[in-house]
Every structure is written in structure tokens, then in C-alpha cells.
Amino acid sequence: MKTISVNIVTPDGPVYDSDVSMVIAVTATGEMGVLPGHIPTVAPLGIGAVRLKKENSTELVAVSGGFLEIRPEKVTILAQSAESATEIDLARAQESAKRAEALLHARKDEIDYKRAELALKRAMNRINVYEGNI
Amino acid sequence: MASLRDIKTRITSTKKTSQITKAMQMVSASKLNKAEVNAKAFVPYMEKIQDVVASIAAGSNDVSNPMMMARPVKKTAYLVITSDRGLVGGYNSNILRTVMSRINERHTSNDEFVILSVGRKGRDFFAKKGFNIIESSIGLPDHPTFADIKEITRKAVGMFAEGSYDEVYMYYNHYVSAIAQEVTEKKVLPLTDIQATGSTASYEFDPSAEAILEVLLPQYAESLIFGALLDGKASEHAASMTAMKSATDNASELIGDLTLVYNRARQAAITQEITEIVGGAAAQE
């Protein structure tokens, strides 16, 4: 089976590096599946899970903020933060989800509201990836 | 002349100081190692993002983004990276001196520029000068992660986008080696000099090149700042290590000198005592 090499890098260092048969990522315009031999593409990423399909397993990585660079034999994901399912600190994610929810209910001003919304999204994304229900 | 006891006290206290500086030197050395590793971990991200930005910018000439366009400069922002504490030799003073000379060269009035400061030393210095500090961040951890500095980079880039200022210069100590750091000035925004590197593949853009630049450029600018912060941190630990090493060396030299003085004084006292005894005995005969 043909494979494509995937690199996930963040400012704090590389997170993932392996060969997979398919990459599925959430981009700004929707979900995108990448198979080996894809045309060179750049797309911004949303907050979401990157699914890395191997022969008979699927790995999940939670990413937020960044973009996807595709070349025929290589996919590079540049994210501001990225954690694979095993690295996620569940307690922290739940904590920040709670905090964000409280902020959303307080409804202070426009900017805080937006930020809380994003924070909640990131936290939920982490929790989902940890639990593996994507 | 100082009494024996005085000299003894000084020797003891110098010894204690040198123990402290020696310990601090070792702490800095280990922090420096870690900081070097951090800076290295950041390199792949920076290279990649630079690659992509360059290939987009090179591939499509008609792309214009406000972050890439130079505009008439009414206000300049200076982002100055210093340390929170002293005991780092010339680390802070070198930077602050450079910034001051630049500001004096370029500006005649305090309204023409604003300061964004990282580190307590810089903030205190500019506050004393009465400059307009619009953003300051202190208490940065020794090994900052991207999340730690997100706030300040986001603000620095955001305020440029809003038009609070029209250009951003960044000052930090570039880490050359453990004994050499070099004050570096870097223009962060607008991003006018993006150089294409090596292989520039022509990409498809989803949804469009403009939309991607809009997301990408702020991230690029933010990572430039983050890179400088990591570099600055490595320099800080290196400078601190060097400063503490020379403090330790000076202390042991001082201890040597003092010990010599102490022994001389002790010998003089003994000689005098003997002379007195001999003199006394001679007088009795």
C-alpha cells in the first residue's frame, strides 16, 4: 500500500512523524482527506482532530490554529499547538472547558466572548480526541 | 591597618559569596542547555513556515496583504526583550543602550514611538525615561512555551493590524555562543523582505492565496517574535553563566589576596610579641 509521510510540527517542537496511508484534517473550508500523490496544496486548519489512517489503525492528533502543507509525497502540518491522544492532559482540558463555559455565561464583552468560545472549542476538541469519539 | 579579626570576617564572607555565585553559575549552565534544546526544537517550525510564506509570496505577485505593505510611518513600535532580574552582566544594558541610541537617532518627540517590553528590566528603564509603554510582560518562565508568549505576540501583531503603529522593530540578544551574545535589531512588521528559499513548489490554495496569507502572516510574525524570545532566553542564561563565572573567579582571587594579608598580619603580630618578650627579658638582666 502506498504511504505518505506526515510531519506535525509546533513552535515547541515536532509532535508527530510517521508514514500513513491517509490523512484527514479539518480545514477552514471543511474536512479534507489526503492520499499519497496529492497535488501540492496549502490550506489553513481549524480547531479539530487530524486523523492519521494506517493500515489497520487510526491515530488522532488534536490541533489548533495552523495550516496544512501538502506535497505529493509529504504532508506537513504546522500548528500552534498539537497533541496526540496519549499526550493530552484530560484534567486540564476539562478544567479549561469549565472555565470557558463560565466565561460564556458571564457574557462580559464581545472580545472575551469570542475568546471563551475558542477556548471552549479547543478544550472540547482535546477531550474528544482523548476519548477517541470523532 | 585592619585587625586580624576584620580580615578573617572578610575572607569568610567572600567565601560565602563565591559559593553562591558558583551555584548560580551551575544553575545557569543547566538552564542554558535546556534553552538551547528549546531553540533547536523551534527551528523546523520556523523553516517550514518561512518556506510556505515565501512560496506563496513568490508564486502570486498580485497578492497584497496589509501586513506585507509598507505604509507611511507615523508611529513606530519597539519590542525590547530583556530579562526580569539582574546578575546577567551586560545583557540588559547592551540592549537598552542600543535601543536608546536608535530612538535618539530616529525620533525627536516621545509621541512618535511606543514601547512593548518583555522583562522587568526593560520596563523599569523605559518607565523611568517616561516613554509610552503600551504593553509589558514580566515573569516569563525560563523555558517559555508558545502558549506562554501567545498573549504578547498576539497583541504586538494585532495592534499593527489595527493601525496603532506602522512598523515594529524587535531588539534582542542573539545567542552566538556561551560567551558571546550579540544585540540584534530585526524589523518584524511590515513583512517586506520575505526571501524565497530553495524549492518553491507551486501550490493550490484552498480557499485562496489571500485567505491563507491572512491566516498565515500573523502566525509568521508571531513565530518570528517567539524565535527571538527563545534566542533571548538562551542568551540570558549564557550571559548569566558568564557573569557568575567571572564573579566566582574574582572572589577566589580576592580570597587569595586576603589570605596573604591575613598571614602577614598574623606573622607580624607574632614577631612583635617575641620582640616584646625578648625586650622584657633583656630589661630584667
Side-chain angles (χ1 to χ4, degrees):
Chain A
M1 201 157 154
K2 265 183 127 178
T3 57
I4 186 164
S5 92
V6 180
N7 249 314
I8 301 179
V9 287
T10 70
D12 298 322
V15 174
Y16 187 89
D17 185 6
S18 171
D19 289 337
V20 303
S21 53
M22 184 178 184
V23 185
I24 304 167
V26 184
T27 68
T29 48
E31 284 213 336
M32 185 190 235
V34 181
L35 291 167
H38 198 285
I39 189 171
T41 306
V42 178
L45 283 177
I47 297 167
V50 174
R51 276 176 282 170
L52 303 147
K53 286 206 169 170
K54 290 192 171 173
E55 205 126 329
N56 39 25
S57 68
T58 303
E59 284 177 68
L60 290 173
V61 178
V63 298
S64 73
F67 61 95
L68 180 70
E69 189 220 14
I70 306 165
R71 297 189 188 202
E73 72 298 341
K74 196 172 178 190
V75 174
T76 312
I77 294 171
L78 290 158
Q80 302 209 315
S81 76
E83 289 128 4
S84 58
T86 47
E87 279 171 9
I88 290 173
D89 185 345
L90 186 65
R92 212 183 121 201
Q94 279 166 341
E95 184 65 32
S96 67
K98 245 184 242 157
R99 217 173 29 236
E101 262 168 5
L103 265 174
L104 284 179
H105 286 303
R107 270 186 182 271
K108 273 227 300 273
D109 57 64
E110 196 66 18
I111 302 166
D112 271 2
Y113 194 76
K114 270 226 170 91
R115 278 172 65 183
E117 225 171 44
L118 284 176
L120 181 60
K121 232 171 146 183
R122 279 196 295 268
M124 290 315 291
N125 179 35
R126 285 202 177 101
I127 294 169
N128 285 339
V129 167
Y130 184 82
E131 288 166 354
N133 56 358
I134 296 291
Chain B
M1 190 171 149
S3 77
L4 276 180
R5 187 209 284 272
D6 286 344
I7 301 172
K8 188 93 191 158
T9 322
R10 266 196 80 190
I11 292 177
T12 327
S13 90
T14 314
K15 249 183 202 152
K16 281 186 179 145
T17 311
S18 81
Q19 274 166 359
I20 294 170
T21 53
K22 179 98 195 185
M24 288 174 80
Q25 180 201 333
M26 283 185 312
V27 169
S28 294
S30 88
K31 281 182 180 170
L32 172 62
N33 277 338
K34 182 91 193 294
E36 269 186 315
V37 171
N38 287 347
K40 234 171 238 154
F42 174 66
V43 169
Y45 181 84
M46 192 67 224
E47 274 176 355
K48 206 73 217 173
I49 200 166
Q50 204 152 15
D51 239 30
V52 175
V53 169
S55 63
I56 295 177
S60 36
N61 294 326
D62 52 333
V63 174
S64 61
N65 186 288
M67 300 204 111
M68 293 172 81
M69 304 251 267
R71 53 192 191 217
V73 176
K74 289 197 270 319
K75 213 165 207 167
T76 308
Y78 292 95
L79 176 71
V80 185
I81 299 170
T82 57
S83 70
D84 276 342
R85 58 175 188 81
L87 299 177
V88 286
Y91 178 83
N92 290 313
S93 50
N94 284 345
I95 280 207
L96 296 175
R97 200 181 319 118
T98 314
V99 176
M100 276 316 288
S101 73
R102 273 308 140 86
I103 286 177
N104 288 335
E105 249 168 55
R106 286 194 191 132
H107 307 287
T108 47
S109 121
N110 281 3
D111 303 327
E112 290 173 13
F113 61 89
V114 291
I115 304 278
L116 295 109
S117 84
V118 176
R120 180 175 283 119
K121 289 284 168 189
R123 188 199 62 182
D124 292 352
F125 177 82
F126 292 119
K128 210 183 261 172
K129 294 259 175 208
F131 291 169
N132 185 6
I133 305 174
I134 51 170
E135 185 60 42
S136 85
S137 143
I138 54 173
L140 212 61
D142 278 325
H143 307 297
T145 61
F146 195 63
D148 291 324
I149 56 99
K150 195 111 203 282
E151 195 72 2
I152 187 148
T153 55
R154 207 169 45 84
K155 276 188 188 150
V157 176
M159 279 191 280
F160 173 83
E162 284 163 17
S164 302
Y165 37 73
D166 308 295
E167 54 180 359
V168 182
Y169 288 94
M170 175 164 73
Y171 292 86
Y172 64 100
N173 273 308
H174 172 57
Y175 175 78
V176 182
S177 72
I179 48 162
Q181 297 87 39
E182 176 176 272
V183 177
T184 308
E185 178 196 52
K186 205 172 199 173
K187 190 175 185 179
V188 186
L189 288 166
L191 296 160
T192 43
D193 54 345
I194 297 172
Q195 268 127 31
T197 47
S199 61
T200 47
S202 57
Y203 292 106
E204 289 286 309
F205 300 110
D206 177 38
S208 66
E210 287 84 7
I212 287 175
L213 278 185
E214 216 157 275
V215 181
L216 195 54
L217 288 180
Q219 283 183 17
Y220 178 60
E222 282 177 14
S223 40
L224 278 180
I225 300 175
F226 182 57
L229 273 165
L230 287 181
D231 205 347
K233 274 288 171 195
S235 304
E236 181 187 329
H237 297 315
S240 158
M241 188 180 85
T242 319
M244 288 305 113
K245 185 175 185 319
S246 67
T248 313
D249 291 349
N250 287 343
S252 44
E253 197 176 308
L254 187 63
I255 290 170
D257 290 351
L258 283 175
T259 313
L260 197 65
V261 173
Y262 176 79
N263 286 339
R264 280 210 188 112
R266 190 172 55 89
Q267 204 128 44
I270 292 167
T271 314
Q272 195 180 358
E273 225 166 89
I274 291 173
T275 324
E276 271 163 17
I277 291 168
V278 171
Q284 297 224 322
E285 276 169 17

